[in-house]
Amino acid sequence: MTEKIIIAGSGGQGVMLLGKVIAEAAMKENKFVTWLPCYGAEVRGGTAYCMVIVSNKGIGSPYVDKADSVIIMNSPSLAKFEGRLAKGGFLLINSSLVHAQIKTAKAKSYPFTEIAQACGNIKTANMVALGALIAHRNILKEKSCIEVMKETASSVKKELIEINISALKEGIRLK
Amino acid sequence: MKVLISGNEAIAEGAIQAGCSFYAGYPITPQNEIPAYMSVHMPQAGGVFIQAESELAAINMVYGASATGVRSMTSSSSPGVSLKQEGISYIAGAELPAVIVNIMRGGPGLGNIAPSQSDYFQATHGGGHGDYRLIVLAPATVQEAYDFMSLGFSLAEKYRNPAMILGDGMLAQMMEPINIKKSRIKNQKYARPWALTGCRGRKPNIVKSFYMQEGDLEKFNLHLQEKYKTIEAQEQRHEGLFLDDAEIVLVSYGSMSRIAKGAVQRLREKGKKVGLLRPVSLWPFPKKAFGQIRVHPGGRLKFLVIEMSYGQMLNDVKLALNCKYPVEFLGRAGGGIPTEDEIIKRTLSLLSR
């Protein structure tokens, strides 16, 4: 199994963090993983993206030319990355912020931002997307993602961990 | 212990674990996570972190700190490393150990911050003035970025010569799980009778790269040349893959070699006789490894050099092969990265000729 993933959105949507949670969870499952961020002059409001590869064998290039899965969190990212989907790849779209017509056959749209708001924190849209990704693609276990969340957030922010876990579970339920 | 860490952080942590206790640097993308990490962790480890006022100041601080016998380093990216060249030449001339990290970006000039292998010439064929050499190591994984720091310090001390770790923005920014285990590292420390530690009770030591008496500088240069010969004989490092029956050998270093390796594996799955030779030490260049590759009886042998530049290592490959075999080239620069598909296409076309 090798899954090449591109995650793209607006700076501040937690695109980098979403990639890092995938990477940490894959490491927990003893998989090979690489995480490569864009590191230009990205700022809040600009576009940000990262590339993650999860595999059962050693990974060559961390750079993803054609992705097996692309997660699109906002409109500008769709224009930039829809063409980077491999043939038969899986496109996952945040329909709260993307209203465009999708040409790709294998695409799923869910309102990640609105679901996150319902969970109590708009910033957890990235974790809703993570839930949807692992439900559709079966690349990681829910348990590993939750462990990573618990380790990532500091202990003073316990309530944040709970909101993130519920966001993840909402995402998993989307399938 | 397994941790998920970026190449930059691995370099910084690797240096601290190797006993580096002095870091001076000046910010520049894509290596900023090195000074950022150092600013927090170096003081915690009992060492000194200085954000210098310029690259020139930083390299000269390393020169001074190293003269006192402490493991010292600096890091920068291409334009910043150009600024450090005078100091690097002085450190080589004073025969001091130090590690200089260059996380290469696109050039020339201010260029951009994208991954590139723009500074091979500068790192391996001079850079600063005078007949000196740097020991140059090129990690290809985050694990190696970590491990090569202690290797770099060990070699620098063993030969009293500056060593360079040559990476690029891709290796520096990517995260990969690595094993952090102190015992696994070949971290050899050497006595420093030359260090300026206060001369009470002994003859004063002098650290300099200045020889005014007629004949002295030539004698010193001859001594350096002897040292470089020893390093060339003993410190060549490389990684080889499927070299026994290869009809075409891809030659690539650093991040680029990972992409080449991916292409080699895919081509092998198709039954193509493709191998990979990855120079790990760029100086000394692994000439012996090239000399050992033999053409298969009744077969043929070609080389394809792949770089994120327009052919800087290419000449060293041709020299190492003594023009015995055809050498082709594939490269992009300025942020362009040759892809697995491009490499496969080119390799197949070379095989069909």
Side-chain angles (χ1 to χ4, degrees):
Chain A
M1 181 279 289
T2 297
E3 182 86 359
K4 298 183 178 186
I5 310 163
I6 294 177
I7 307 156
S10 157
Q13 278 188 303
V15 161
M16 300 295 177
L17 181 64
L18 167 46
K20 274 189 202 174
V21 174
I22 295 173
E24 293 268 7
M27 189 174 80
K28 277 198 183 301
E29 295 179 14
N30 279 322
K31 294 187 166 91
F32 291 91
V33 63
T34 58
W35 174 89
L36 181 69
C38 60
Y39 57 91
E42 278 72 24
V43 291
R44 192 173 293 265
T47 47
Y49 63 90
C50 65
M51 297 164 170
V52 185
I53 304 177
V54 179
S55 183
N56 291 328
K57 50 182 205 262
I59 298 163
S61 171
Y63 185 83
V64 177
D65 191 28
K66 292 284 178 188
D68 303 303
S69 289
V70 175
I71 304 179
I72 298 292
M73 296 299 284
N74 72 347
S75 246
S77 303
L78 181 69
K80 197 168 172 181
F81 289 105
E82 193 180 6
R84 297 284 287 277
L85 198 63
K87 234 180 224 168
F90 175 63
L91 190 61
L92 187 58
I93 290 170
N94 178 15
S95 61
S96 307
L97 298 174
V98 181
H99 307 291
Q101 201 74 35
I102 310 300
K103 289 166 241 157
T104 313
K106 215 164 150 188
K108 291 280 175 192
S109 293
Y110 304 108
F112 297 137
T113 306
E114 281 152 35
I115 295 168
Q117 265 172 321
C119 288
N121 190 330
I122 192 169
K123 289 180 191 158
T124 61
N126 55 353
M127 295 300 118
V128 184
L130 173 62
L133 178 78
I134 64 170
H136 281 281
R137 300 298 284 180
N138 237 340
I139 48 168
L140 293 170
K141 295 188 184 81
E142 175 184 346
K143 194 174 138 242
S144 341
C145 297
I146 291 174
E147 274 173 39
V148 173
M149 287 178 190
K150 285 182 177 165
E151 286 164 19
T152 305
S154 65
S155 53
V156 284
K157 292 180 174 168
K158 266 195 180 130
E159 74 282 1
L160 276 183
I161 299 174
E162 290 312 314
I163 292 177
N164 275 282
I165 291 172
S166 66
L168 179 80
K169 286 182 186 291
E170 285 301 319
I172 291 170
R173 213 168 292 150
L174 289 172
K175 195 187 171 181
Chain B
M1 188 178 66
K2 227 174 177 192
V3 293
L4 185 74
I5 191 169
S6 75
N8 277 333
E9 292 166 329
I11 284 168
E13 181 59 29
I16 292 171
Q17 289 299 337
C20 173
S21 54
F22 182 86
Y23 174 94
Y26 186 81
I28 182 169
T29 306
Q31 62 85 56
N32 281 326
E33 292 78 8
I34 299 175
Y37 191 95
M38 285 294 192
S39 69
V40 176
H41 294 90
M42 187 60 106
Q44 287 172 358
V48 172
F49 165 84
I50 299 178
Q51 179 170 324
E53 69 270 33
S54 72
E55 284 86 352
L56 268 74
I59 190 69
N60 282 291
M61 287 172 188
V62 168
Y63 183 13
S66 177
T68 71
V70 302
R71 283 197 163 177
S72 311
M73 72 170 286
T74 186
S75 65
S76 192
S77 177
S78 306
V81 176
S82 293
L83 288 166
K84 289 183 201 282
Q85 291 303 324
E86 181 199 41
I88 293 171
S89 170
Y90 273 60
I91 293 169
E95 291 202 272
L96 289 176
V99 172
I100 300 115
V101 177
N102 182 3
I103 300 300
M104 295 180 284
R105 54 188 251 178
L110 197 53
N112 65 12
I113 57 172
S116 187
Q117 296 181 321
S118 48
D119 307 342
Y120 179 93
F121 283 154
Q122 185 192 60
T124 59
H125 294 280
H129 56 284
D131 284 279
Y132 77 91
R133 291 292 193 175
L134 289 180
I135 296 164
V136 184
L137 303 172
T141 63
V142 175
Q143 181 74 56
E144 284 185 347
Y146 178 83
D147 292 343
F148 283 12
M149 291 312 291
S150 56
L151 179 61
F153 277 113
S154 299
L155 292 174
E157 265 165 30
K158 183 175 181 185
Y159 295 103
R160 291 186 57 183
N161 201 74
M164 178 171 274
I165 307 297
L166 196 64
D168 61 68
M170 190 192 298
L171 178 72
Q173 294 291 329
M174 71 181 285
M175 285 180 131
E176 245 177 345
I178 69 166
N179 283 308
I180 292 185
K181 231 195 212 167
K182 285 183 204 178
S183 58
R184 211 170 51 79
I185 302 167
K186 303 155 278 179
N187 185 6
Q188 199 153 349
K189 292 202 174 163
Y190 295 86
R192 304 168 181 87
W194 43 266
L196 307 183
T197 54
C199 67
R200 184 176 290 173
R202 64 161 168 81
K203 247 178 79 192
N205 284 335
I206 299 172
V207 171
K208 60 165 189 173
S209 63
F210 186 51
Y211 296 87
M212 274 300 275
Q213 290 296 319
E214 199 181 319
D216 280 4
L217 183 57
E218 184 173 17
K219 230 184 277 169
F220 175 68
N221 265 287
L222 287 170
H223 155 71
L224 284 183
Q225 292 305 313
E226 280 305 311
K227 178 169 88 173
Y228 298 150
K229 258 185 225 158
T230 310
I231 299 173
E232 283 205 85
Q234 296 186 357
E235 305 298 345
Q236 296 183 22
R237 288 171 165 79
H238 77 284
E239 180 192 349
L241 190 65
F242 305 123
L243 292 176
D244 291 342
D245 66 340
E247 291 182 350
I248 183 160
V249 174
L250 310 190
V251 186
S252 193
Y253 72 95
S255 301
M256 193 62 240
S257 70
R258 299 174 67 116
I259 304 176
K261 199 188 255 182
V264 167
Q265 276 154 355
R266 277 170 59 190
L267 285 160
R268 280 276 161 181
E269 282 163 20
K270 290 183 191 170
K272 304 291 176 191
K273 290 185 173 166
V274 182
L276 175 75
L277 200 164
R278 172 199 156 212
V280 171
S281 59
L282 302 182
W283 196 87
F285 196 70
K287 291 176 191 164
K288 287 182 214 163
F290 283 91
Q292 282 160 5
I293 301 175
R294 295 275 175 271
V295 57
H296 214 55
R300 54 188 182 154
L301 185 56
K302 277 182 190 174
F303 288 77
L304 175 61
V305 180
I306 308 160
E307 298 180 60
M308 286 190 266
S309 79
Y310 286 110
Q312 300 195 17
M313 181 176 68
L314 177 62
N315 296 342
D316 284 338
V317 174
K318 285 181 179 172
L319 285 171
L321 289 169
N322 227 343
C323 301
K324 261 200 288 192
Y325 304 106
V327 179
E328 304 283 340
F329 179 73
L330 172 65
R332 293 172 66 185
I337 303 168
T339 63
E340 265 183 36
D341 287 346
E342 279 172 333
I343 297 169
I344 288 170
K345 201 174 146 201
R346 184 65 182 278
T347 307
L348 288 175
S349 107
L350 286 171
L351 279 172
S352 68
R353 260 191 238 161

